[in-house]
Each structure stands twice: as C-alpha cells, then as structure tokens.
Amino acid sequence: GQIYPELKRLEEDGLVEGEDQPNGGRNRRVYRLTAAGREALRDWLLGSTVTIELRDESLLRLFFADALPHDEALMLLEGRKRGHEEYLEVLRAIQALPGGPDPTYVDLVLRWGIDFNEWGARWCQEQLERLRSEKTTA
C-alpha cells in the first residue's frame, strides 16, 4: 500500500516519469527515472545513513505468548514456521523463473530472502522441539 503513493510523490518531485500503458483491461502505469531521479538514487545509495527496520508481528506475538497456555503458544510458533516455509516457496519459484540470471545484486537480495527463510523455518522447528521436550520433562 505504500508503493503507489510513494511513486506519485516521486513523480510530483520530478524524480520519476510515469506513462500510462494499459494492459488489456487493466490500468497500468510504467515509471522510469529522470536525470534528477538517477542522481537522487545515487546519493541515497552512497549515503552514510543506513536504517535496518524489522517489523514482525509474529515475533511480537511470540514475545507475549507466555500469556497463553503452552499448547496455544506453540501454535504461534508453528504458524511462524509455516509462514517461513510458504514465503520460501514463493522465493524459490521466483528463483526458478526462466529468462536468464537476474542482475547481480537483485540475485543477492533474493538469495538473502531464501537463506533467511530457510534459517527461520529451521529455527522454529528447533524451538518447537526444545519447548515440547521441556514441557514433557517438567
């Protein structure tokens, strides 16, 4: 929901140019960088400020899961694991698309997503096993 308002703002600022290119019955607008947009992109890419922001409602729910009975709390962790596995399927499908290799750094980000979600699914499984065994020995 953020992309289209941001594209509109960039167009108003003269950083991108949009052109309507209807595709069948669908409205479609194609954007390209202007010279000013290319310079702003370069400045941003080489800038010294880097923000890493992670907003993860699933992790927040796990943080408060002690408020639930043990079995229901485990369901939250199982749901998180399924989420990683489903996202992994999507990313692997993207990776398998025909058409030749992606640009180097597009591929790098795709690989990060695959590695992150493989790790996330594995971590969830390990924690499920640990929490289940702690419950049975308690």
Side-chain angles (χ1 to χ4, degrees):
Q2 243 179 318
I3 292 173
Y4 295 109
E6 188 63 19
L7 282 169
K8 183 176 168 72
R9 185 192 65 78
L10 291 170
E11 189 170 17
E12 289 169 356
D13 291 348
L15 301 175
V16 298
E17 294 174 336
E19 181 181 333
D20 291 327
Q21 291 185 356
N23 186 6
R26 295 181 52 202
N27 291 333
R28 183 173 182 229
R29 190 159 179 85
V30 176
Y31 293 88
R32 72 177 127 305
L33 284 174
T34 63
R38 190 166 305 284
E39 185 61 32
L41 174 62
R42 184 175 177 17
D43 291 347
W44 176 74
L45 288 170
L46 298 175
S48 60
T49 303
V50 176
T51 302
I52 298 173
E53 182 179 317
L54 177 64
R55 295 176 59 161
D56 189 332
E57 184 178 340
S58 170
L59 202 54
L60 183 61
R61 288 179 183 199
L62 282 175
F63 184 84
F64 290 107
D66 287 304
L68 295 170
H70 186 72
D71 290 341
E72 289 179 356
L74 289 180
M75 287 173 42
L76 295 177
L77 192 51
E78 290 166 350
R80 182 176 181 85
K81 180 179 178 245
R82 276 191 311 277
H84 280 294
E85 291 167 343
E86 290 168 6
Y87 204 68
L88 203 46
E89 283 182 35
V90 170
L91 294 174
R92 285 183 176 144
I94 291 170
Q95 188 179 43
L97 288 173
D102 286 324
T104 300
Y105 294 98
V106 171
D107 183 63
L108 182 75
V109 173
L110 177 61
R111 288 171 187 251
W112 177 88
I114 290 169
D115 289 350
F116 175 77
N117 284 283
E118 285 175 342
W119 173 84
R122 188 172 54 251
W123 181 86
C124 289
Q125 183 60 42
E126 291 167 358
Q127 300 316 307
L128 283 164
E129 291 169 9
R130 180 181 67 82
L131 293 169
R132 286 179 179 134
S133 72
E134 286 177 4
K135 179 69 174 177
T136 59
T137 59

